Amino acid sequence: MRVLVVEDFEVLARAIGTGLRREGMAVDIVLDGDDALARLAATRYDVVVLDRDLPGTPGDEVCREIAAGDAGSRVLMLTAAGTVRDRVEGLGLGADDYLPKPFDFAELVARVRALGRRSAPAVPPILRAEDLILDPSRRVAFRGARRLELTPKEFALLECLLAAGDRVVSTEELLERVWDEAADPFTTAVKTTVRRLRAKLGEPPVIGTVREGGYRIGVPR
């Protein structure tokens, strides 16, 4: 899941970003509305965590721009004002959900995940390939009866490949969907994570490599 955090209080923005990355999400952070619009014009995000009170372009206007676009991004609006009227106004601007500050981080994660499911094409709640089972909502994966101990990046990469079915997923797409803007396009992060993941999955092989194409679930070629 690709998430944009738009929050002018930098300490809070960094804390949200760190927490969501630990949950396996790819997170970009901006501190004002102008940068948010520039980023949204260049990158497709599943979810935008948007503070309503922003310098530069106001959060309300950013929300309207997202709602008027065709990228399909979902908006979770944050604000220190938590009255019913504020919530109604925020939702009326085009926000998909509304969370008043202060908030519990576990609730923020749950709401972001729920919005992410709405923004993405429908996929089965449980992803399977032969004896490999992955449950995105519970964040668990099994190979046969063996539970897999995966890092957040390994889990997110495997989820991306399983959700793609037979489709080949390029290295560039994996960098965009699993990592974030800080990822070097020439990095070996994808290759290294795939290698670790293959070792944990064991035999027979599950992740195939398509020459000059990328990766997919299937016997390596």
Side-chain angles (χ1 to χ4, degrees), residues 121 123 159-174 177 207-208 210 213-218:
V123 296
E159 181 180 1
C160 189
L161 291 176
L162 285 169
D166 293 333
R167 182 175 66 85
V168 176
V169 184
S170 69
T171 298
E172 292 75 16
E173 181 178 348
L174 288 171
R177 305 299 298 170
I207 301 174
V210 179
Y215 303 92
R216 69 177 176 188
I217 297 298

Side-chain angles (χ1 to χ4, degrees), residues 3-72:
V3 180
L4 177 65
V5 175
V6 189
E7 165 63 59
D8 65 322
F9 182 31
E10 187 170 359
V11 172
L12 177 58
R14 301 296 176 192
I16 293 173
T18 298
L20 293 180
R21 290 186 185 109
R22 287 174 179 166
E23 295 293 323
M25 303 179 197
V27 183
D28 297 336
I29 297 171
V30 295
L31 305 177
D32 62 62
D34 295 341
D35 284 347
L37 291 176
R39 197 63 58 86
L40 287 161
T43 304
R44 191 241 178 222
Y45 293 93
D46 298 295
V47 178
V48 180
V49 179
L50 177 66
D51 183 25
R52 191 171 182 182
D53 301 312
L54 291 172
T57 304
D60 288 1
E61 183 58 33
V62 174
C63 187
R64 289 192 189 96
E65 292 283 341
I66 295 172
D70 58 0

Side-chain angles (χ1 to χ4, degrees), residues 115-164:
L115 291 177
R117 289 193 293 270
R118 289 167 57 186
S119 72
V123 296
I126 304 295
L127 300 172
R128 302 173 184 268
E130 301 296 337
D131 62 344
L132 178 60
I133 300 174
L134 185 143
D135 184 339
S137 63
R138 292 173 55 215
R139 309 301 293 171
V140 294
F142 294 87
R143 182 81 192 267
R146 177 171 59 91
R147 179 167 177 166
L148 301 170
E149 299 298 329
L150 305 178
T151 67
K153 281 290 184 282
E154 291 165 356
F155 189 98
L157 191 149
L158 183 59
E159 181 180 1
C160 189
L161 291 176
L162 285 169

